Amino acid sequence: MLPDLLQKMGFETAPPAHRRPRLGVSACLLGRPVRYDGGHRDEPLLHRELGPLVRFVEVCPEVAIGLPVPRPPIQVVTLDGEQRVRGVARPDQDHTDALGAQARNIDTPLDGFVFKARSPSCGLGTTPVHGPHGGVLGLGDGAFAAALAARFPALPLCNESDLQEPLVPDRVRGAAVLPPSVAAKHAPAAGP
């Protein structure tokens, strides 16, 4: 077959769809208009570099728990030493448990996950964590990302912002999310 011939000639070819790794991705990064403001954050690198090499499993945990598009913004708040995801204008609306349940209910086997940075549901170590009276105390994980990391501690995880930078071990939890051919393009240059 043509793919076999191309491989023998030294060309890289994409694996057949059924053999490609399953990569979970925040749906807004694939151009889906699911964000709180009705927009998306389409990430061309995912389509261009990873699209031919993986099978995307789109996830928007906020829509999956029934939040509308558009919707009032939510944020991570520390209350009594615990991080909660609550409405900005309606702090009585707490979505933490529902977002965590989405991670616990994923039934598709995944080989990695790319999250939307800074998201109160999907950010991985980049989400602003607010104090009970407003101000940002630091950075943490979104509720869905935290629950997915706890459920699958060996699953490679990163934010889309990590894909823009050279791969640094502390930026990716677990093994590299990127296939070796893509990772090599984004690896830091070797020093002298």
Side-chain angles (χ1 to χ4, degrees):
M1 298 192 79
L2 183 57
D4 295 330
L5 178 60
L6 290 172
Q7 284 180 331
K8 286 179 184 176
M9 294 173 68
F11 293 99
E12 281 190 37
T13 60
H18 70 279
R19 289 200 348 235
R20 294 178 192 165
R22 288 186 181 102
L23 183 64
V25 179
S26 294
C28 62
L29 298 175
L30 295 174
R32 305 300 179 256
V34 294
R35 287 175 46 88
Y36 77 96
D37 59 4
H40 61 78
R41 290 289 187 260
D42 190 47
E43 178 52 61
L45 177 69
L46 288 171
H47 300 285
R48 185 179 63 246
E49 298 284 342
L50 294 181
L53 303 172
V54 301
R55 289 178 282 173
F56 292 128
V57 177
E58 297 179 24
V59 178
C60 179
E62 293 176 24
V63 170
I65 66 169
L67 295 179
V69 178
R71 58 186 165 273
I74 58 177
Q75 65 184 0
V76 177
V77 179
T78 296
L79 298 171
D80 300 322
E82 184 179 1
Q83 291 186 0
R84 307 296 299 176
V85 176
R86 303 174 79 179
V88 174
R90 298 275 319 267
D92 58 312
Q93 294 180 341
D94 189 308
H95 305 288
T96 311
D97 297 335
L99 291 168
Q102 285 301 310
R104 291 186 293 278
N105 292 333
I106 286 183
D107 58 0
T108 302
L110 297 174
D111 297 296
F113 205 103
V114 179
F115 295 107
K116 174 64 190 104
R118 300 184 55 83
S119 163
S121 59
C122 291
L124 188 66
T126 58
T127 301
V129 177
H130 298 79
H133 303 293
V136 175
L137 302 175
L139 299 175
D141 294 339
F144 174 79
L148 194 69
R151 180 175 177 206
F152 300 110
L155 186 67
L157 308 172
C158 72
N159 292 303
E160 94 288 355
S161 57
D162 299 323
L163 301 177
Q164 303 300 328
E165 303 293 328
L167 291 181
V168 179
D170 64 341
R171 301 189 111 201
V172 179
R173 295 185 188 177
V177 172
L178 303 177
S181 60
V182 176
K185 293 179 187 176
H186 298 279

